[in-house]
Amino acid sequence: MDKLFDFGYSTKHSVGGRARGAGLCIVQSVVKKHGGRIEAVSSEGVTKFTVHSPLRL
C-alpha cells in the first residue's frame, strides 16, 4: 500500500502499451493542494478510498 499513490505504480499489467499508474497520484496531488487527504484501506479483493476535504461544497 505504500506505493499505491506513486506515479507509475500499478497493480495491473500494461494493456496494449497504454500507460497506467498515474490516476491515484494525480487525485492525491489535487486533494493535497486543497488541504485534504486521501486514504486507502484494502482487504481481500476490495479497496476503499476515503477523501477528506476541508472545503465545504
Side-chain angles (χ1 to χ4, degrees), residues 42-47:
S42 189
S43 61
E44 270 186 62
V46 177
T47 303

Side-chain angles (χ1 to χ4, degrees), residues 5-50:
F5 296 99
D6 289 355
F7 185 82
Y9 178 76
S10 177
T11 60
K12 311 237 184 310
H13 295 289
S14 179
V15 177
R18 292 181 143 178
R20 290 184 171 261
L24 288 175
C25 180
I26 294 169
V27 169
Q28 184 184 48
S29 175
V30 171
V31 170
K32 281 183 174 182
K33 284 182 182 178
H34 290 283
R37 69 185 195 283
I38 184 168
E39 298 173 346
V41 177
S42 189
S43 61
E44 270 186 62
V46 177
T47 303
K48 177 183 174 183
F49 294 93
T50 305

